[in-house]
């Protein structure tokens, strides 16, 4: 997977996880709850995950997970933003 494809893939995972938790990252940035560079940092942290397949499987279940999983490298950020 090229670097660009990897970044897009993980950007999708971050966005999907946020959406699953009821967080609109763009709105959070516009409202000032999140800096735009924090979104980029979250994507980069996600690329360091050793098992993105686990996240993909969880997200594909379309269930209410309530909080970011313990293994998520963006757990603190996503749980802070979740309603």
């Amino acid at each position: 997977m090229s670097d660009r494809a990897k970044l897009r893939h993980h950007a999708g995972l971050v966005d999907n996880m946020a959406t699953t938790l009821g967080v609109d990252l763009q709105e959070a940035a516009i409202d000032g709850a999140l800096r735009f560079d924090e979104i980029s940092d979250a994507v980069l942290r996600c690329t360091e995950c050793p098992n993105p397949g686990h996240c993909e499987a969880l997200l594909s279940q379309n269930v209410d997970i309530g909080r970011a999983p313990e293994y998520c490298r963006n757990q603190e950020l996503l749980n802070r933003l979740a309603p």
Side-chain angles (χ1 to χ4, degrees):
M1 183 181 298
S2 72
D3 288 343
R4 182 178 218 158
K6 183 176 182 176
L7 284 173
R8 283 187 181 178
H9 178 75
H10 286 272
L13 289 174
V14 171
D15 191 50
N16 289 342
M17 181 63 75
T19 300
T20 298
L21 297 172
V23 176
D24 183 322
L25 294 173
Q26 248 183 339
E27 274 303 312
I30 290 168
D31 292 344
L34 175 71
R35 295 184 323 272
F36 280 106
D37 63 326
E38 285 181 288
I39 298 171
S40 300
D41 291 344
V43 172
L44 291 175
R45 272 191 302 277
C46 186
T47 65
E48 297 169 355
C49 178
N51 192 3
H54 191 278
C55 187
E56 291 166 349
L58 176 66
L59 292 170
S60 72
Q61 294 175 13
N62 294 320
V63 295
D64 180 13
I65 58 174
R67 298 179 55 81
E70 208 171 283
Y71 62 81
C72 181
R73 294 182 183 258
N74 290 301
Q75 177 188 30
E76 183 179 319
L77 173 70
L78 293 169
N79 289 338
R80 173 175 59 90
L81 296 171

